[in-house]
Amino acid sequence: AIKAVSAGVSRVHMVSRHIEGSIISELCTRDGMGIMVSYDLYDGVRKASIRDVQAIIDLIHPLEKQGILVTRPPEQIEMEIDGFFVFERDGDVLACFQIVHYEDERYQNGTFEMSCVAVSPALQREGIGNALLSYCLRKAVTQGVHNVFVLTTRSSHWFVDRGFEERPPEALPPKKYATYDHRRNPKVYFKKVEDEKHIDQEEIMWFRAQPKMNASTA
């Protein structure tokens, strides 16, 4: 398979001959049931582009209706698209999140907010939230940012299990605190970001643990 891909074949599928319907499942469903070796990126996190706006809207709209996410008009997403990242699988956008960088003298090089986290129901409990968080933390490391925070009303335990600690709203950067919704009263969690080696070690533990809930932020 590796030799074929190295020779220019874009994808190689390996399926078991002992499972009835394995070829049809592999070729006609997104996730299939075999092993695929691909020359190009098949799935992963990437920076969003203006072409992803509608897909992001489709992902976050159900969560906005449930009150899990703060409502964001399409115009806002378009204006802030440079801060969005998406998880794509075989060309389909199936998860998203946003990074906002805030300046704050209390935190070296400021702090990141990880917000607008949404994962397609088709990928629930597959560890996609872990992948999004890992990408965010690594992005912080590359920019010299050592603190990441989230606001959440539903996923406190998920973030605590991944090293976040609850802080009072006053710990937020001034610009963020000025827009804090006291009526909605989301909980504030901060995580100290170490180096990439530390993130690697944490990530192993996250993926070993069976996910019990999905991450969601404001």
Side-chain angles (χ1 to χ4, degrees):
I2 294 175
K3 287 182 178 179
V5 170
S6 299
V9 177
S10 59
R11 291 180 179 178
V12 176
H13 296 261
M14 295 178 284
V15 296
S16 173
R17 62 185 176 87
H18 300 292
I19 302 176
E20 185 177 354
S22 59
I23 294 178
I24 294 176
S25 176
E26 180 70 11
L27 297 179
C28 298
T29 63
R30 184 178 58 228
D31 296 333
M33 61 185 309
I35 298 173
M36 183 182 72
V37 180
S38 175
Y39 180 81
D40 297 314
L41 177 68
Y42 174 71
D43 69 10
V45 182
R46 63 167 174 81
K47 188 175 177 61
S49 72
I50 197 68
R51 293 173 297 180
D52 299 313
V53 169
Q54 188 57 54
I56 293 172
I57 292 171
D58 293 342
L59 281 169
I60 68 176
H61 182 63
L63 299 178
E64 291 175 340
K65 289 181 65 176
Q66 297 174 51
I68 297 174
L69 293 182
V70 174
T71 301
R72 292 170 173 82
E75 297 79 10
Q76 180 182 350
I77 296 173
E78 289 180 9
M79 290 176 58
E80 300 176 353
I81 194 64
D82 285 344
F84 275 89
F85 298 83
V86 296
F87 179 91
E88 182 181 66
R89 174 173 292 175
D90 201 17
D92 293 330
V93 173
L94 299 171
C96 68
F97 73 99
Q98 182 183 17
I99 292 176
V100 183
H101 187 193
Y102 290 96
E103 297 293 338
D104 191 326
E105 294 179 352
R106 295 171 296 176
Y107 307 108
Q108 183 181 0
N109 295 326
T111 181
F112 274 3
E113 178 188 14
M114 183 182 184
S115 64
C116 200
V117 178
V119 179
S120 167
L123 293 184
Q124 299 293 340
R125 304 184 187 282
E126 286 193 20
I128 305 305
N130 291 330
L132 301 183
L133 176 58
S134 175
Y135 191 95
C136 179
L137 298 181
R138 294 175 192 278
K139 192 76 173 174
V141 168
T142 61
Q143 295 192 19
V145 174
H146 300 286
N147 290 274
V148 173
F149 72 88
V150 298
L151 275 66
T152 183
T153 58
R154 301 286 185 93
S155 303
S156 298
H157 294 298
W158 192 92
F159 288 105
V160 169
D161 288 345
R162 284 150 183 81
F164 283 79
E165 297 181 354
E166 186 174 1
R167 302 281 294 277
E170 291 76 15
L172 294 170
K175 188 175 180 180
K176 182 64 180 181
Y177 183 67
T179 64
Y180 182 82
D181 188 345
H182 290 273
R183 290 175 299 178
R184 193 164 180 268
N185 197 32
K187 289 189 175 182
V188 177
Y189 291 91
F190 272 77
K191 179 176 176 63
K192 186 74 173 178
V193 182
E194 305 294 339
D195 52 27
E196 289 212 33
K197 182 179 179 181
H198 186 75
I199 297 172
D200 289 340
Q201 294 170 344
E202 286 191 308
E203 195 171 18
I204 292 171
M205 300 303 297
W206 301 343
F207 282 98
R208 280 180 177 173
Q210 179 68 27
K212 298 180 180 180
M213 63 186 300
N214 304 307
S216 63
T217 65

